C-alpha cells in the first residue's frame, strides 16, 4: 500500500499572451510507508511543481494525488482534512517554511499542537543539534544550515507520516549540505516518516534514497530501487545523468554534459520528449510517446523496452 500515490498528474500554468505551460505532464510516482524516495532531474523539469501539487498548494489540471488513501484537497478549502496534517513540507528556502516574525519555540510549539506527541520543543531542538535556548530567538538570528535544522524540527514536531523536501540542501554551503541531508534522513528513519527528497544532487540521492525516480520535462521517466537504477539505468536519460556524476562520490551538482538544453515545456517535442537529446534515439522516437513499462520493481518510459520482458541497462 502506498502512502502517497500520484497518477497521471498534470499541472499547467497560464501565461498571459502565451500558450499554457504544462509543467507536469502525466507523472506517476508513489511513496510507501517509511520509504525514502529521491526525485531527481534538471532544473525546470517540474519537480517543484509536482511537490506543490502533492501538498495541495497547486491545483492539478488532470490526474490524481492520493495521500493515505484519500485525495489531497487543494489548499484554501476549509477545513483542511485532518489526514493532511500528516503531510509536511521543507523548502529550499527555510524562510518559506518558517515565520520570520515569530520565535522559533512558538513555531515548533504550533507544529506540536497539530498532532499529540510527548516530545517537547526543547527536545526537538536538541534532536536537530540546536541548544534549547534557540527557542527564544527568531529565524534570522541563525545561519542557513541552522534555519534548515529548525525547519526540520518544525516539520517533524507535527508527527507527519510524509515529509516532502524540495531541494532542502541546495541553498546551503557545501559543508552543511551533507550534514543537513543526513540529519533529515536519520530523523525520518528513526521516526518512521516517509520522505520524498527532491534534489538535483545525484550523489546525495544515491546515498540516502531507498528508491529513485528520474524526472524529465514533466514526466517520471524511470523509477527503481536506488542501487539497481544506478547500476543498470534503463532509460537513456537516467544513464546520461548517472554517467555525468563524477566518482568517487562527492557533493556534485548535475553538470551540463547532456547535449542541448531542456526544451521549453510550453512546446514539448512530439513523440518521446527526450528524443532531441537522446544519444540512442531511433525513428519511432520522434512520433511515438513511450508508455510506462514495468518489470518487477522498476518502471521506465522508453521505446527500447517491451512490456513483459526484463528491462536491460542502457549505458
Ligand atoms: Fe531515447 Fe527513444 Fe527511449 Fe526516448 S524512446 S529515451 S528517444 S530511445
Ligand atoms: Mg525546483
Amino acid at each position: 500500500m502506498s502512502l502517497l500515490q500520484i497518477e497521471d498528474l498534470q499541472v499547467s500554468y497560464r501565461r498571459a499572451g502565451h500558450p499554457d505551460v504544462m509543467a507536469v505532464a502525466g507523472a506517476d510516482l508513489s511513496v510507501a510507508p517509511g520509504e525514502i524516495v529521491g526525485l531527481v532531474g534538471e532544473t525546470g523539469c517540474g519537480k517543484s511543481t509536482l511537490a506543490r501539487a502533492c501538498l495541495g498548494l497547486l491545483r492539478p489540471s488532470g490526474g490524481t494525488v492520493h495521500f493515505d488513501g484519500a485525495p489531497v484537497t487543494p489548499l484554501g478549502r476549509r477545513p483542511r482534512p485532518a489526514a493532511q496534517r500528516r503531510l509536511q513540507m521543507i523548502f529550499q528556502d527555510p524562510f518559506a517554511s518558517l515565520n520570520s516574525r515569530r520565535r522559533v519555540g512558538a513555531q515548533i510549539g504550533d507544529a506540536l499542537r497539530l498532532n499529540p506527541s510527548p516530545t517537547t520543543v526543547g527536545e526537538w531542538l536538541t534532536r536537530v543539534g540546536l541548544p534549547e535556548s534557540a527557542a527564544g530567538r527568531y529565524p534570522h538570528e541563525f545561519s542557513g544550515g541552522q534555519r534548515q535544522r529548525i525547519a526540520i524540527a518544525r516539520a517533524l514536531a507535527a508527527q507527519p507520516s510524509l515529509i516532502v523536501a524540495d531541494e532542502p540542501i541546495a541553498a546551503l554551503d557545501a559543508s552543511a549540505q551533507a550534514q543537513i541531508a543526513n540529519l533529515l534522513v536519520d530523523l525520518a528513519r528513526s521516526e518512521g516518516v516517509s520522505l520524498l527528497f527532491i534534489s538535483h544532487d545525484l550523489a546525495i540521492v544515491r546515498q540516502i534514497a531507498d528508491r529513485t525516480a528520474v524526472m524529465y520535462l514533466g514526466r517520471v521517466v524511470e523509477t527503481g530501487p536506488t542501487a539497481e537504477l544506478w547500476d543498470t539505468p534503463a532509460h537513456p536519460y537516467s544513464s546520461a545523468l548517472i554517467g555525468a556524476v563524477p566518482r568517487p562520490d562527492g557533493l556534485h551538482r548535475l553538470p551540463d554534459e547532456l547535449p542541448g538544453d531542456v526544451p521549453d515545456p510550453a512546446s514539448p517535442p512530439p513523440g518521446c520528449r527526450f528524443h532531441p537529446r537522446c544519444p540512442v534515439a531511433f525513428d519511432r522516437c520522434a512520433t511515438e510517446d513511450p508508455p510506462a513499462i514495468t518489470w518487477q520493481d522498476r518502471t521506465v518510459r522508453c521505446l527500447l523496452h517491451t512490456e513483459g520482458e526484463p528491462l536491460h541497462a542502457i549505458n
Side-chain angles (χ1 to χ4, degrees):
M1 231 272 304
S2 293
L3 184 62
L4 180 72
Q5 184 80 46
I6 301 169
E7 282 171 5
D8 195 26
L9 180 68
Q10 296 150 43
V11 186
S12 317
Y13 293 110
R14 288 184 191 283
R15 298 184 303 175
H18 295 278
D20 289 358
V21 178
M22 196 176 272
V24 177
D28 303 293
L29 187 66
S30 65
V31 180
E35 189 180 38
I36 295 181
V37 175
L39 177 64
V40 300
E42 290 160 290
T43 301
C45 70
K47 305 187 296 293
S48 297
T49 304
L50 179 142
R52 282 168 169 71
C54 290
L55 294 152
L57 302 176
L58 288 174
R59 192 177 291 272
S61 40
T64 55
V65 180
H66 283 82
F67 174 69
D68 211 3
V72 169
T73 310
L75 210 71
R77 201 180 296 175
R78 305 275 171 192
R80 212 162 186 233
Q84 283 179 39
R85 289 190 229 140
R86 302 275 181 193
L87 190 49
Q88 291 290 318
M89 177 122 189
I90 295 172
F91 297 93
Q92 174 172 335
D93 172 9
F95 282 120
S97 345
L98 300 172
N99 182 335
S100 57
R101 287 182 301 241
R102 296 193 69 216
R103 291 180 205 272
V104 164
Q107 298 189 53
I108 297 174
D110 289 346
L112 280 173
R113 277 186 290 280
L114 283 177
N115 293 300
S117 148
T119 314
T120 64
V121 169
E123 283 165 348
W124 274 115
L125 286 167
T126 307
R127 292 188 72 182
V128 297
L130 292 171
E132 292 194 21
S133 60
R137 296 161 66 192
Y138 291 90
H140 72 263
E141 298 177 58
F142 297 89
S143 71
Q146 289 170 327
R147 283 199 288 270
Q148 210 56 303
R149 288 175 192 269
I150 296 164
I152 291 170
R154 193 205 56 82
L156 282 163
Q159 299 277 299
S161 46
L162 173 70
I163 294 177
V164 177
D166 185 15
E167 299 278 8
I169 59 171
L172 304 178
D173 296 341
S175 61
Q177 288 186 340
Q179 282 174 19
I180 297 299
N182 289 329
L183 175 73
L184 174 57
V185 167
D186 290 349
L187 286 173
R189 290 232 191 263
S190 67
E191 295 291 300
V193 177
S194 300
L195 183 61
L196 178 59
F197 189 96
I198 300 173
S199 182
H200 59 276
D201 190 324
L202 296 164
I204 283 280
V205 169
R206 186 186 186 184
Q207 279 173 33
I208 65 164
D210 302 319
R211 211 151 53 82
T212 295
V214 179
M215 198 164 177
Y216 185 77
L217 208 61
R219 291 217 173 127
V220 175
V221 295
E222 182 167 5
T223 63
T226 299
E228 261 185 48
L229 192 145
W230 243 264
D231 288 347
T232 57
H235 195 284
Y237 180 63
S238 315
S239 181
L241 283 188
I242 289 164
V245 180
R247 295 170 197 216
D249 298 338
L251 290 169
H252 295 287
R253 296 277 162 111
L254 188 64
D256 304 318
E257 284 178 16
L258 294 176
D261 297 322
V262 180
D264 181 359
S267 50
C272 172
R273 296 177 156 231
F274 188 51
H275 88 262
R277 299 171 81 192
C278 181
V280 290
F282 56 108
D283 52 357
R284 283 167 52 208
C285 302
T287 53
E288 284 182 42
D289 191 3
I293 304 284
T294 299
W295 179 262
Q296 293 171 352
D297 40 15
R298 304 276 296 274
T299 299
V300 65
R301 293 182 77 145
C302 167
L303 296 168
L304 292 169
H305 304 278
T306 309
E307 188 65 62
E309 291 178 15
L311 303 180
H312 49 275
I314 308 282
N315 286 310

